[in-house]
Amino acid sequence: MATNLIPALDPAPLPGPTWLFHLLWVVTFTIHLLFVNSVLGGTVLAALLGTNQAVHRASAKLFVEVNSWAISFAITFGIAPLLFLQVLFGRFFYTATILVAWWWLGLLGLLTVGYYLNYVAKFRLRAGKGAGAVLVVEAVCFLAVAMIQVLVNLLHLQPERWERVADATWAAFADPTFVPRYLHFLLAAVALAGAILAWAAVRRAERGGDQQEARGMAGIGIRAALVATILQLVDGFWLLFALPEGVLKAYMRSGAASMVPLALGILAGVVLLTVLAGISDPLAQGTRVRRAAELIVGAMLVMVVTRHQLRELYLATARANEQLVIAPQWGIVVTFLLVFVLGVAVTVFALVRAAKDTPAPGETAA
Amino acid sequence: MDYPIWNLAMGGGVLIGMVAIAHVIVSHFAVGGGIAMAVAETVAVRRGDAALRQLCRRTSLMLILISTVFGAISGVGIWVTIGLVQPVATSALIHNFVWAWATEWVFFILEVATALAYYATWDRVRPRTHLLLIWLYALAAYMSLVIIQGIIAFMLTPGRWVETHSFWDGFFNPSYLPGLVLRTGMALFLAGSYMTLAALRESDREARARLVRFLALFQVVGALVAYGGYRWWEVALPGSVRALFLGASPLLASLAGTRHLLLWALAAYLLLALFALLLPRLQRWPVTVLAMLVAFTSFGGYERLREGSRKPFVIRDVMFSNGVLVSEIAALNERGILSKAVWAAREEDGTAQGKGRAVFRAQCASCHTQNGYLSIRRIVAPIDADMIVGILESMRDDGQTYTTGAILHEGHAVTQGLNYPFMPPFVGTEEEMQALAAYLLTLKPATVAEVSHGN
């Protein structure tokens, strides 16, 4: 019954080789996730810390300032993987979103409110006012956005659950992997945000900022990353063993291509734990703090690959008879790749110049 | 059509329209604002005009808040809503234009990065660096318009793509350039209009008048360019599309009315802009707000006209607004619509009415709700049983006309000769048509009380 509900493959051919879409999806989704995790984890930590104590306030202020850039980039970098996902898995993705249409549409409202609240918090903190309540509501918005994303993602992977969800939308939450998967992303976000806070504090101290405050911020960041990583190791195995039996078996049998990224991810987690546990004075162990941040980013990258491989296994049966026709539009593919390289180069150039440029002595600033 | 159908009382098309109009107004402001601010700051630096510089500074926060926040989210919002309401059309567009969208996305990154950097670097960098940022922003924002216009115009005038299926034929379609000129003009006058509101906060009277006059120039030029683009756009449309809203007896009176509204609004806007140009000292905020409302009316009118001109298609000559492809009419008449519309087929309960409800969901529900927007209950209320069958048979005949190709003129479907030129044809078997008629009968007031049916 369920497979009959899978919409027909779009009759139009794929306008490029599938490997290119997969590669671009992994690359762009990884960048998207870096910004998303920074925003989600940063906002949650800022909300938990509040703005009453000086060190907590400084930490929250840093997250809010980072967010005003990172939210924009998270949304913008989300566009590309959304495009490539629709090309590769459109019929599964559209169906999942329609089944939970109000949730999916509500995501836009939550994102808008969360984003504007970040500006409210930013201007209140700059004006010396408190922003604790604003940050709590902002965090709730972003937590809900993440929950909806996990919900839709799980649903598009499992056509066999569609009919039940069509009859009762709440059935969308009845997935044994929902909670561990949601926690998996949330904990990764908190770990990354903790590392960003610690690293920013180290840099601030190096540049002659308030040492006491920087030490406090770095300590908070390291503790947050450490606790999140410990919980992540437990949750990671919970998620792995909560996978549907068929998917888990297929995954375990799928050889080095799947096992290497998974092993690297677990290894990165374990090494990260030892690195974080070994940081007693973050300001004096700047290199170690940076290593922790690098390990978190590395673990995220391999987990994105794992996530993508799991999708293929989840959908293997549903796509077994998929007869893809490929007719690459090489002219526009090359145009895109050229614009991509040039566009990234110009963006980096503009940002570096904006960050480093200062008026000469006697010269008026813009 | 073979996707689940989202029940929305207001109608999916209305939701798309609301999100899309909000987005296009904001995104065109972002495009025009980039150009206007780049020119304004360049002039400010060259002339040492502090008031003009202050205007750019004041506007830059709004550019960030509107462009990178609301513009970005509402842009994603269009994806979300069209995916929910028109998944088949969205998929078709994605398969043809994914690389164009991906290219546009690169410009989005540059746009967001330079907008944020521009706002963050006031008083921090040399003027030339600041100018570089705003000019890069203006370029990126305009390029996003250059690209998206190809896809929007394609939906109305796919041109030679229908035969060649070539990306470039679809992208550089007959209404591409005229539409781009029109949108460029509108982007300029929307930005000029908003920035005038910001300019009125200048306390120095002389400086305020100077700023108002400077911005009025943008608005006058923008309005004239938009008018020229609009006229060109009309000429570029196939005759069958023009006949919908042009001529002595246009086929769709409401669209003809919309056309008049947008042109009169544009003329009124031009007058208001000329007033600001010639008498800048008399400019006050109520006049500026009025000008903005007139600008929105004109632009909104154009968008409504462009969307309405596609009827009964979502991609003209290719796909109807209910997701049925012109090329699959014959096959679906043979196999039945429910052979493809598997989600709608879940509504079947073994009765003729149940099957009819499923057919309604498959073919009609993308435009008609039961009780809300374009309520089918209200439409069938005054019609008797024979007439319902007669209408459906005529609509089925329209489908036959499509399949014979007799409807084509220079590659375009000339719909005005059809029985129901603005409706997709009925597609399906005789049994499905009778079942739909039986279901529609249950919606008539006299029978509603007697027959139980779900939504």
Side-chain angles (χ1 to χ4, degrees):
Chain A
M1 172 60 96
T3 49
N4 292 340
L5 291 175
I6 298 171
L9 194 64
D10 195 291
L14 277 194
T18 48
W19 63 263
L20 185 57
F21 287 117
H22 285 288
L23 177 68
L24 286 170
W25 184 88
V26 169
V27 171
T28 55
F29 187 75
T30 304
I31 301 171
H32 167 62
L33 203 60
L34 280 171
F35 287 113
V36 165
N37 281 1
S38 146
V39 170
L40 180 64
T43 312
V44 168
L45 280 181
L48 289 174
L49 292 170
T51 56
N52 290 333
Q53 294 177 33
V55 173
H56 291 183
R57 186 183 176 85
S59 305
K61 197 172 175 190
L62 179 107
F63 284 129
V64 164
E65 294 286 344
V66 169
N67 273 2
S68 61
W69 287 68
I71 300 173
S72 277
F73 283 118
I75 294 171
T76 310
F77 273 98
I79 293 170
L82 183 63
L83 285 174
F84 302 131
L85 173 80
Q86 288 177 81
V87 174
L88 293 168
F89 307 103
R91 57 196 180 131
F92 301 99
F93 175 72
Y94 297 133
T95 307
T97 58
I98 296 168
L99 288 174
V100 289
W102 283 111
W103 290 91
W104 188 236
L105 190 68
L107 182 144
L108 295 175
L110 291 163
L111 204 51
T112 310
V113 172
Y115 201 160
Y116 278 119
L117 284 179
N118 190 72
Y119 272 98
V120 172
K122 177 174 162 173
F123 291 130
R124 284 187 67 85
L125 289 172
R126 279 187 181 181
K129 297 175 184 169
V134 176
L135 288 170
V136 168
V137 181
E138 184 186 337
V140 169
C141 287
F142 290 142
L143 283 168
V145 168
M147 185 199 71
I148 295 166
Q149 290 283 4
V150 171
L151 190 74
V152 167
N153 207 281
L154 282 173
L155 203 52
H156 99 283
L157 297 173
Q158 301 169 88
E160 64 276 10
R161 294 180 53 222
W162 290 353
E163 199 158 23
R164 242 176 307 143
V165 178
D167 293 333
T169 308
W170 286 103
F173 291 91
D175 182 323
T177 63
F178 175 75
V179 174
R181 194 173 172 117
Y182 184 40
L183 283 177
H184 199 51
F185 283 96
L186 185 56
L187 291 168
V190 171
L192 181 68
I196 289 172
L197 179 63
W199 177 237
V202 168
R203 297 279 296 164
R204 195 175 283 186
E206 283 171 1
R207 287 175 183 170
D210 183 334
Q211 297 289 312
Q212 192 66 24
E213 188 178 87
R215 181 160 287 112
M217 289 166 70
I220 291 170
I222 294 299
R223 273 198 301 280
L226 184 62
V227 171
T229 307
I230 292 169
L231 294 173
Q232 186 71 286
L233 283 176
V234 179
D235 181 66
F237 283 103
W238 178 13
L239 175 59
L240 186 67
F241 294 111
L243 290 174
E245 196 183 336
V247 174
L248 182 61
K249 279 183 180 165
Y251 186 54
M252 290 303 174
R253 288 179 194 139
S254 54
S258 299
M259 287 302 112
V260 169
L262 179 68
L264 282 175
I266 295 170
L267 187 65
V270 174
V271 175
L272 176 62
L273 258 187
T274 59
V275 170
L276 287 168
I279 298 175
S280 52
D281 181 1
L283 299 192
Q285 293 171 285
T287 311
R288 214 174 167 91
V289 172
R290 203 178 73 192
R291 289 282 170 274
E294 287 166 357
L295 278 166
I296 293 171
V297 172
M300 276 174 53
L301 173 63
V302 288
M303 281 298 132
V304 167
V305 174
T306 297
R307 181 180 183 274
H308 197 54
Q309 289 171 330
L310 276 173
R311 183 192 343 246
E312 294 283 330
L313 297 175
Y314 263 106
L315 291 173
T317 313
R319 299 175 69 207
N321 298 317
E322 203 170 72
Q323 303 280 330
L324 279 180
V325 180
I326 297 164
Q329 302 165 338
W330 286 120
I332 183 67
V333 173
V334 172
T335 307
F336 161 70
L337 292 173
L338 287 175
V339 171
F340 183 56
V341 172
L342 202 63
V344 169
V346 173
T347 304
V348 171
F349 165 74
L351 289 178
V352 169
R353 181 147 173 195
K356 295 197 167 170
D357 190 65
T358 45
E363 192 182 9
T364 317
Chain B
M1 187 181 47
D2 38 1
Y3 286 87
I5 296 142
W6 182 28
N7 273 324
L8 195 60
M10 69 162 75
V14 176
L15 178 69
I16 291 178
M18 281 164 54
V19 178
I21 287 191
H23 176 70
V24 292
I25 286 176
V26 167
S27 58
H28 283 69
F29 162 69
V31 172
I35 298 169
M37 284 169 67
V39 173
E41 198 182 344
T42 305
V43 173
V45 169
R46 286 197 182 157
R47 293 182 188 164
D49 188 332
L52 197 52
R53 176 184 176 275
Q54 191 56 29
L55 172 69
C56 294
R57 187 170 188 156
R58 219 177 277 143
T59 314
S60 61
L61 176 62
M62 198 48 72
L63 188 77
I64 296 288
L65 290 179
I66 288 186
S67 167
T68 67
V69 183
F70 188 77
I73 296 176
S74 60
V76 175
I78 292 185
W79 276 112
V80 167
T81 46
I82 63 171
L84 290 173
V85 177
Q86 295 275 12
V88 184
T90 309
S91 178
L93 289 173
I94 276 283
H95 276 75
N96 284 299
F97 293 110
V98 64
W99 297 116
W101 264 306
T103 309
E104 188 193 14
W105 162 73
V106 178
F107 288 108
F108 285 156
I109 296 172
L110 183 59
E111 190 179 336
V112 167
T114 48
L116 291 166
Y118 179 71
Y119 177 66
T121 51
W122 283 107
D123 296 330
R124 289 190 182 177
V125 295
R126 288 175 297 166
R128 57 188 297 188
T129 299
H130 210 241
L131 283 176
L132 173 76
L133 291 172
I134 192 62
W135 276 108
L136 281 176
Y137 170 84
L139 170 77
Y142 191 71
M143 284 308 294
S144 70
L145 176 63
V146 165
I147 295 170
I148 196 63
Q149 165 61 11
I151 302 168
I152 297 170
F154 165 83
M155 293 169 76
L156 178 60
T157 55
R160 279 168 38 92
W161 181 91
V162 178
E163 295 135 43
T164 65
H165 283 213
S166 147
F167 169 86
W168 299 109
D169 282 338
F171 189 85
F172 292 112
N173 59 77
S175 66
Y176 172 74
L177 269 181
L180 184 61
V181 172
L182 164 60
R183 288 177 185 281
T184 303
M186 287 183 163
L188 285 177
F189 74 61
L190 278 175
S193 176
Y194 168 73
M195 286 176 75
T196 305
L197 209 55
L200 290 177
R201 288 170 59 198
E202 171 63 51
S203 52
D204 182 86
R205 280 191 68 190
E206 285 301 317
R208 188 165 67 229
R210 198 171 66 245
L211 296 181
V212 168
R213 176 169 282 165
F214 175 81
L215 293 167
L217 254 178
F218 270 92
Q219 295 169 77
V220 171
V221 170
L224 291 173
V225 169
Y227 181 76
Y230 175 77
R231 287 294 186 188
W232 186 13
W233 178 77
E234 275 189 354
V235 172
L237 295 177
S240 55
V241 177
R242 276 202 302 271
L244 293 175
F245 59 88
L246 280 174
S249 50
L251 290 167
L252 266 175
S254 63
L255 275 191
T258 304
R259 174 181 177 269
H260 281 120
L261 178 71
L262 93 86
L263 285 173
W264 279 112
L266 196 53
Y269 186 80
L270 184 59
L271 283 177
L272 288 167
L274 284 170
F275 170 74
L277 185 68
L278 299 174
L279 298 164
R281 284 170 206 283
L282 297 181
Q283 190 73 2
R284 296 290 181 274
W285 72 263
V287 181
T288 310
V289 170
L290 177 69
M292 279 180 83
L293 292 175
V294 171
F296 292 162
T297 305
S298 177
F299 193 18
Y302 168 68
E303 293 294 349
R304 162 87 183 83
L305 181 64
R306 185 183 55 74
E307 289 283 322
S309 304
R310 280 210 310 263
K311 283 186 175 190
F313 300 97
V314 63
I315 301 171
R316 203 169 170 87
D317 304 327
V318 179
M319 185 187 288
F320 295 106
S321 50
N322 55 13
V324 173
L325 291 163
V326 174
S327 59
E328 64 185 352
I329 294 174
L332 291 176
N333 278 345
E334 188 77 26
R335 291 202 317 264
I337 189 83
L338 295 181
S339 68
K340 188 176 184 200
V342 286
W343 282 90
R346 289 176 77 240
E347 306 264 332
E348 283 193 89
D349 58 6
T351 66
Q353 287 92 340
K355 181 178 261 231
R357 187 167 60 234
V359 174
F360 176 82
R361 301 267 286 166
Q363 290 204 59
C364 322
S366 57
C367 297
H368 294 281
T369 64
Q370 206 173 79
N371 300 306
Y373 183 70
L374 291 177
S375 160
I376 195 69
R377 200 185 286 278
R378 246 174 279 146
I379 293 169
V380 297
I383 308 174
D384 64 28
D386 289 343
M387 225 173 139
I388 287 179
V389 174
I391 289 170
L392 291 177
E393 279 176 346
S394 299
M395 290 175 70
R396 194 155 185 243
D397 291 344
D398 284 348
Q400 300 286 359
T401 312
Y402 276 104
T403 58
T404 59
I407 198 169
L408 293 178
H409 175 68
E410 294 176 355
H412 299 290
V414 183
T415 53
Q416 49 266 51
L418 297 170
N419 298 307
Y420 292 92
F422 322 120
M423 296 264 288
F426 175 82
V427 177
T429 61
E430 174 70 25
E431 187 196 355
E432 286 175 336
M433 192 185 75
Q434 294 297 341
L436 177 59
Y439 169 66
L440 293 178
L441 269 179
T442 68
L443 300 179
K444 286 173 63 64
T447 50
V448 160
E450 298 160 22
V451 180
S452 165
H453 56 79
N455 259 338

